Amino acid sequence: MPAPPLLTRKTPKPVDEKLTLNISCVDLGQIDLLVQEGFYANRSDLIRMAIRNQLATHADVVRQVVTRKSIVLGIQHYSVADLERAREAGERLQIRVLGLAVIAPEVTPELALAAIESVTVLGALHASPAVKTALVGRLL
């Protein structure tokens, strides 16, 4: 019987990430007009919808790249136990996530360096400042 996957824990939905963007006054005026006319609840609602529409348009490309590059799609959590298991097995993790990668706050920089070979995150990486600093040379 094959061993269970190293990481199978479900995590709660994280708080949304903030994004800042520059937009022309004309585009902003058109957005405000659509909000004023009741098409959208607010500016953020329109921008989220536009992003979702573009992501849906390119969904096949995203799926193909995720498969080709062996990327985890969604939220991936790495606990102390996960990293200790990898270290004890003589393995070094190549973390590849499209979404959110979470390295538990209890993970020490020493454990992260011993267990993690590289980190590629398209989205957000949540880890303690000390772990992020320790891994800076391994962030791709």
Side-chain angles (χ1 to χ4, degrees), residues 63-139:
R63 275 192 290 278
Q64 290 170 8
V65 173
V66 164
T67 300
R68 185 176 76 239
K69 293 188 175 188
S70 300
I71 299 173
V72 172
L73 180 60
I75 302 170
Q76 191 69 29
H77 185 272
Y78 299 89
S79 68
V80 170
D82 296 327
L83 297 183
E84 286 176 344
R85 266 195 307 278
R87 181 181 61 187
E88 290 166 6
E91 299 173 357
R92 297 191 62 213
L93 301 175
Q94 294 180 350
I95 297 173
R96 294 184 186 113
V97 176
L98 190 157
L100 173 63
V102 178
I103 300 174
E106 306 82 35
V107 171
T108 64
E110 297 76 23
L111 177 57
L113 287 171
I116 299 171
E117 180 177 318
S118 63
V119 179
T120 303
V121 177
L122 300 170
L125 170 64
H126 290 186
S128 71
V131 167
K132 284 185 177 180
T133 299
L135 293 174
V136 74
R138 299 177 187 188
L139 299 173

Side-chain angles (χ1 to χ4, degrees), residues 11-17 75 100 102 126:
T11 58
K13 181 184 181 293
V15 175
D16 291 339
E17 293 289 322
I75 302 170
L100 173 63
V102 178
H126 290 186

